[in-house]
Amino acid sequence: MRAARALLGIDQRELAGLSGLSLPTIQRMEASDGVVRGNVDSLMKLVGALEDAGIELIAERTTSSHGGRGVRLNAPATRRTHPLRT
């Protein structure tokens, strides 16, 4: 989550706003050790917000140029500009 936020240049509060989750929920999710923990609805909101902002989530054992899991910045799914800047 930190890597995705860094790619977007946003803080936890902004991610909470984009995803429709509370700041404490984002903080708890980000504090998870290894796998992000949360209920399915919250995780879906988070993933949707990150994908809409242009983040591609790369799962373990998924084809990527460098192997391993991680994040990559693509063009946002819904807009071509950064979702927080007009």
Side-chain angles (χ1 to χ4, degrees), residues 35 47 51 55-72:
V35 176
V47 168
E51 288 177 346
I55 294 294
E56 178 184 353
L57 301 173
I58 305 166
E60 257 184 284
R61 294 181 288 281
T62 300
T63 303
S64 69
S65 59
H66 300 291
R69 65 182 186 194
V71 295
R72 175 178 20 232

Side-chain angles (χ1 to χ4, degrees), residues 1 8 31 36 53 58 65 67 82:
M1 286 179 63
L8 295 173
V36 175
I58 305 166
S65 59
H82 190 285

Side-chain angles (χ1 to χ4, degrees), residues 1 3 8 12 15-16 22 32 47 52 55 60 65 73-74 86:
M1 286 179 63
L8 295 173
Q12 290 178 330
L15 181 55
S22 69
S32 298
V47 168
D52 286 349
I55 294 294
E60 257 184 284
S65 59
L73 183 61
N74 287 325
T86 55

Side-chain angles (χ1 to χ4, degrees), residues 1-2 5 12-13 15-16 21-32 37:
M1 286 179 63
R2 284 183 207 98
R5 287 192 305 100
Q12 290 178 330
R13 186 175 307 281
L15 181 55
L21 299 171
S22 69
L23 178 58
T25 296
I26 295 294
Q27 291 169 332
R28 275 193 305 276
M29 292 170 104
E30 201 166 285
S32 298
R37 306 241 183 253

